[in-house]
Amino acid sequence: MRKSWLIVGAVALVLVGGIIVWLVLGARPQNSSTNTINTNDSTATVEEEVVASQTTVTIKNSAFTPQNLKVKKGTTVKWVNEDAVRHNVVALNESAQGGLPAENALLGKGESYSFTFETVGTFEYKCSPHPFMTGKIEVVQ
Ligand code: CO
């Protein structure tokens, strides 16, 4: 009688342990490094991947997506505002310009701004009315 209770206890322990392991593993994102974005000239591009001649950064919920983008020299990046709030794209500071303007027009909903990166380097930018909105374009040869 006592032995059978031990077996029941052991089975219950294995079941509970299994459920805990399943919950912990199940809660993990399946593949966090494969966020995709839509671009104009291809269906989808992995964030940080070197892309073709044009790519799009979406401005939504007061954030730039993708926030960090790696492109080849000569690439035109197009920022499209999907927010009702007006945003813009300016260099984070003078040293980070890479040709990006220090001042820029505000974009209404659906409006866009395009800039062609002709200088190799890493160029950080922000939205001037909302300086917490930042992004980075890494331009490679
Ligand atoms: Co803004």
Side-chain angles (χ1 to χ4, degrees):
M1 199 62 177
R2 193 174 170 81
K3 193 174 181 181
S4 66
W5 278 112
L6 275 172
I7 291 164
V8 168
V11 168
L13 258 172
V14 167
L15 277 175
V16 168
I19 287 167
I20 288 169
V21 167
W22 178 76
L23 283 174
V24 167
L25 291 178
R28 283 186 187 160
Q30 284 303 299
N31 204 341
S32 59
S33 65
T34 55
N35 294 327
T36 57
I37 56 159
N38 291 322
T39 65
N40 281 2
D41 47 5
S42 65
T43 52
T45 300
V46 175
E47 189 171 344
E48 284 283 0
E49 188 181 321
V50 176
V51 297
S53 61
Q54 185 170 15
T55 191
T56 301
V57 174
T58 301
I59 308 172
K60 198 172 185 181
N61 299 322
S62 293
F64 297 105
T65 304
Q67 189 174 23
N68 302 322
L69 188 65
K70 188 190 279 185
V71 300
K72 276 186 179 165
K73 183 183 166 186
T75 298
T76 299
V77 178
K78 182 182 183 181
W79 286 266
V80 181
N81 183 20
E82 293 188 359
D83 276 347
V85 177
R86 303 211 297 164
H87 301 288
N88 70 1
V89 177
V90 299
L92 186 68
N93 55 56
E94 278 181 36
S95 64
Q97 265 183 287
L100 272 174
E103 291 177 26
N104 212 345
L106 289 164
L107 305 170
K109 190 174 186 178
E111 292 182 327
S112 67
Y113 168 71
S114 292
F115 182 83
T116 302
F117 287 86
E118 300 288 7
T119 309
V120 169
T122 299
F123 307 111
E124 291 178 278
Y125 61 89
K126 65 179 179 182
C127 168
S128 54
H130 316 108
F132 62 89
M133 293 174 62
T134 60
K136 185 175 78 182
I137 306 290
E138 188 182 345
V139 183
V140 295
Q141 198 55 253

